[in-house]
């Protein structure tokens, strides 16, 4: 597994991280099998959130990995806060601090390597976020900070008050959900794909040395389904199979290799809880698509060059 620098931090992390959103659906024994298989593939970065399984995913993870200092120092743990299950978002200082403490307790660790704001809170007061981050940093509870699903102006607003860099932004990205790429390819045209819905977040991230973490790399629409082997994406699957045969990997690995090929140095969050599938996907790190292959895959998903 190849590794990369995470934002402006000193963290060197794998190209592919394991997203633990569905870990609450597993027994401790099955979760242990998933985690140890990930480690065998060189995937030692684990992405959590307080909302995943209402916290149960973090608890099962800690039990499954048998968390202790000798293990903790070998892995990178990221968690997120801000989404309240009752139907609102909360970036208040009190909630951020409370959420961090609860995640630390569930994860049986003294610190988080990275802590993200999960989705933009319309009622955010950046001064409060700054106070919370400073408290967490000075107490040693959080080493690095970031955001998820934020646009450039929201990031700039936060950064105006923060004493810490925001090192990552976790965004939805797949070959069928490639809006942050498409808006650049279609710039200055009247087509739907030219609409800038993200504020040019891809270019912004590169300019600010901020790592994009791609979530849902196999989904189309907004949680509508998986495009791998889906009848509505037969052309895409044929192309993924063709290129996969060339490199000796499966279609899922090619779909991730498509993300990794982008020069923005995007880290991909993969949420599979099936060890064999993760083993196959991990091979994407060693596949470097040609320019033509990258564009062929993009076009086979229904996109057209001008």
């Amino acid at each position: 597994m190849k590794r990369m620098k995470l934002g402006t931090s000193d963290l060197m992390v794998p190209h592919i991280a394991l997203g633990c959103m569905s870990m609450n659906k597993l027994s401790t024994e099955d979760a242990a099998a998933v985690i140890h298989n990930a480690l065998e593939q060189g995937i030692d970065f684990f992405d959590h959130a307080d909302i995943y399984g209402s916290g149960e995913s973090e608890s099962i993870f800690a039990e499954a990995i048998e968390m202790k200092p000798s293990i903790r120092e070998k892995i990178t743990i990221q968690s997120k806060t801000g989404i309240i299950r009752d139907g609102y978002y909360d970036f208040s200082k009190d909630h951020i601090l409370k959420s961090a403490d609860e995640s630390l307790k569930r994860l049986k660790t003294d610190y988080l390597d990275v802590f993200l704001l999960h989705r933009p809170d319309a009622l955010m007061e950046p001064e409060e976020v700054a106070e919370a981050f400073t408290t967490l940093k000075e107490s040693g509870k959080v080493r690095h900070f970031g955001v998820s699903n934020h646009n450039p102006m929201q990031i700039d607003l936060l950064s105006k008050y923060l004493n810490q860099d925001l090192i990552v932004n976790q965004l939805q990205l797949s070959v069928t959900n490639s809006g942050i790429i498409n808006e650049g390819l279609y710039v200055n045209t009247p087509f739907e794909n030219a609409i800038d819905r993200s504020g040019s977040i891809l270019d912004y991230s590169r300019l600010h040395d901020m790592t994009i973490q791609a979530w849902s790399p196999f989904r189309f629409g907004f949680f509508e389904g998986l495009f791998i082997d889906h009848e509505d994406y037969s052309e895409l699957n044929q192309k993924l199979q063709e290129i996969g045969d060339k490199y000796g990997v499966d279609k899922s690995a090619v779909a991730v290799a498509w993300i990794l090929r982008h020069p923005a140095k995007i880290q991909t969050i993969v949420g599979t809880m099936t060890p064999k599938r993760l083993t196959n996907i991990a091979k994407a790190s060693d596949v470097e698509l040609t320019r033509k292959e990258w564009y062929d895959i993009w076009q086979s998903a229904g996109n057209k060059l001008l």
Side-chain angles (χ1 to χ4, degrees), residues 142-154:
V142 176
R143 296 186 174 180
H144 303 283
F145 300 89
V147 295
S148 182
N149 308 299
H150 280 56
N151 68 31
M153 292 300 286
Q154 291 167 334

Side-chain angles (χ1 to χ4, degrees), residues 265-280:
K265 299 178 181 178
I266 299 166
Q267 186 186 37
T268 305
I269 309 293
V270 174
T272 181
M273 293 288 106
T274 305
K276 182 178 180 181
R277 185 159 186 256
L278 185 62
T279 297
N280 291 333

Side-chain angles (χ1 to χ4, degrees), residues 21 24 49-57 82-90 95 118:
M21 183 172 71
N24 65 300
D50 56 1
I51 195 70
Y52 293 165
S54 298
E56 190 177 354
S57 290
I83 300 177
I84 308 300
R85 193 165 291 279
D86 289 343
Y88 63 100
Y89 301 153
D90 190 348
H95 178 71
H118 206 159

Side-chain angles (χ1 to χ4, degrees), residues 82-130:
I83 300 177
I84 308 300
R85 193 165 291 279
D86 289 343
Y88 63 100
Y89 301 153
D90 190 348
F91 284 3
S92 66
K93 178 181 178 180
D94 287 345
H95 178 71
I96 291 172
L97 294 177
K98 179 174 181 286
S99 175
D101 283 339
E102 290 175 348
S103 284
L104 291 172
K105 183 178 180 180
R106 288 190 293 264
L107 288 163
K108 297 184 179 180
T109 182
D110 295 328
Y111 68 95
L112 295 171
D113 294 285
V114 191
F115 194 41
L116 309 184
L117 299 175
H118 206 159
R119 280 194 175 275
D121 175 11
L123 303 182
M124 176 190 74
E125 297 182 42
E127 299 93 337
E128 274 201 55
V129 176

Side-chain angles (χ1 to χ4, degrees), residues 24-234:
N24 65 300
K25 300 175 182 178
L26 304 182
S27 66
T28 302
E29 293 75 18
D30 288 343
V34 171
I35 294 167
H36 290 295
N37 177 69
L39 293 172
E40 289 172 6
Q41 310 311 315
I43 299 174
D44 54 11
F45 188 108
F46 301 95
D47 175 67
H48 291 274
D50 56 1
I51 195 70
Y52 293 165
S54 298
E56 190 177 354
S57 290
E58 291 179 327
S59 298
I60 290 177
F61 175 86
E63 291 294 330
I65 203 171
E66 298 180 348
M67 190 72 76
K68 54 188 175 183
S70 61
I71 291 174
R72 180 65 183 91
E73 65 187 14
K74 296 177 182 177
I75 62 175
T76 302
I77 298 179
Q78 171 176 283
S79 196
K80 301 182 284 294
T81 188
I83 300 177
I84 308 300
R85 193 165 291 279
D86 289 343
Y88 63 100
Y89 301 153
D90 190 348
F91 284 3
S92 66
K93 178 181 178 180
D94 287 345
H95 178 71
I96 291 172
L97 294 177
K98 179 174 181 286
S99 175
D101 283 339
E102 290 175 348
S103 284
L104 291 172
K105 183 178 180 180
R106 288 190 293 264
L107 288 163
K108 297 184 179 180
T109 182
D110 295 328
Y111 68 95
L112 295 171
D113 294 285
V114 191
F115 194 41
L116 309 184
L117 299 175
H118 206 159
R119 280 194 175 275
D121 175 11
L123 303 182
M124 176 190 74
E125 297 182 42
E127 299 93 337
E128 274 201 55
V129 176
E131 290 176 10
F133 280 11
T134 295
T135 297
L136 291 171
K137 179 73 172 181
E138 291 180 349
S139 66
K141 293 179 179 179
V142 176
R143 296 186 174 180
H144 303 283
F145 300 89
V147 295
S148 182
N149 308 299
H150 280 56
N151 68 31
M153 292 300 286
Q154 291 167 334
I155 294 168
D156 281 347
L157 177 59
L158 274 167
S159 297
K160 175 181 177 181
Y161 297 91
L162 297 178
N163 294 319
Q164 305 83 19
D165 287 346
L166 296 172
I167 65 170
V168 301
N169 189 5
Q170 197 172 115
L171 300 164
Q172 184 175 18
L173 174 63
S174 70
V175 66
T176 56
N177 284 69
S178 55
I180 63 174
I181 294 173
N182 295 353
E183 61 193 31
L185 282 168
Y186 282 85
V187 69
N188 194 37
T189 71
F191 304 114
E192 172 76 14
N193 281 345
I195 297 174
D196 184 348
R197 303 179 189 278
S198 76
S200 298
I201 190 62
L202 182 60
D203 295 323
Y204 175 92
S205 300
R206 297 178 74 180
L207 285 167
H208 292 80
D209 297 318
M210 193 174 190
T211 297
I212 289 177
Q213 295 176 329
W215 60 266
S216 287
F218 309 114
R219 289 192 181 276
F220 64 90
F222 192 71
F223 291 99
E224 291 178 32
L226 304 177
F227 59 76
I228 299 294
D229 295 328
H230 195 287
E231 60 182 7
D232 291 347
Y233 291 93
S234 58

Side-chain angles (χ1 to χ4, degrees), residues 251-271:
K251 294 191 287 291
S252 294
V254 179
V256 171
W258 183 85
I259 295 172
L260 298 180
R261 176 62 177 82
H262 196 281
K265 299 178 181 178
I266 299 166
Q267 186 186 37
T268 305
I269 309 293
V270 174

